Amino acid sequence: MGTTATKAFSAEERAAMKDHAAELKAAARRGSRAQKAAQAEQDLLAKIAEMQDSDRVMAERVHAIVKAGAPVLEPRLWYGMPAYALDGKVVCFFQSAEKFKARYATLGFSDQAQLDDGSMWAAGFALTEVTPAVEKRITALVKQSVG
């Protein structure tokens, strides 16, 4: 890798890109759609299990909320992060604080999420804990994101 690429991306960003390449290769090798979905969820749960305690607890809650609130979304990994896709396109994802050495974890939504609200709307939310009120908000956002 040249020095320009090394300077352009942080070590964490390069690791995320490597994760994404590995995810694409693994998905290409899997068998039926059902096998792919089952393995993708196992991969997601394994990634959550690797997280530090506070992020792991939040990611587990987010996973449960997404599965219950928008069962149409398929769990998968996206750049090494737990994510949820509709028709193969990521709608939302959980980014642990540790992933990019951030102050807080993030629940993010892609442009595929139907969260439009006028000329400006939030597409990412800082998470420090998942309280009952936060859980209710996440549920509403996830449901809205899939229409």
Side-chain angles (χ1 to χ4, degrees), residues 40-124:
E41 184 163 15
Q42 284 181 334
D43 293 347
L44 179 142
L45 293 172
K47 185 59 77 173
I48 290 173
E50 294 172 2
M51 293 179 185
Q52 293 179 348
D53 288 346
S54 62
D55 284 346
R56 181 183 42 74
V57 169
M58 288 189 292
E60 289 170 345
R61 290 301 312 134
V62 167
H63 179 67
I65 293 165
V66 172
K67 294 233 355 148
V72 67
L73 292 177
E74 298 174 347
R76 62 177 281 192
L77 289 177
W78 185 61
Y79 293 94
M81 297 178 284
Y84 303 87
L86 182 63
D87 298 327
K89 296 179 181 178
V90 170
V91 173
C92 62
F93 60 91
F94 178 86
Q95 179 180 303
S96 70
E98 182 183 21
K99 180 81 175 164
F100 293 105
K101 299 179 181 165
R103 186 168 60 104
Y104 47 78
T106 304
L107 176 63
F109 291 87
S110 76
D111 63 334
Q112 299 298 311
Q114 297 177 28
L115 298 178
D116 304 37
D117 183 19
S119 299
M120 184 174 138
W121 57 90

Side-chain angles (χ1 to χ4, degrees), residues 11-25:
E12 293 81 13
E13 290 168 328
R14 285 192 304 275
M17 289 185 283
K18 285 181 184 178
D19 285 342
H20 187 58
E23 292 156 13
L24 293 173
K25 286 180 188 176

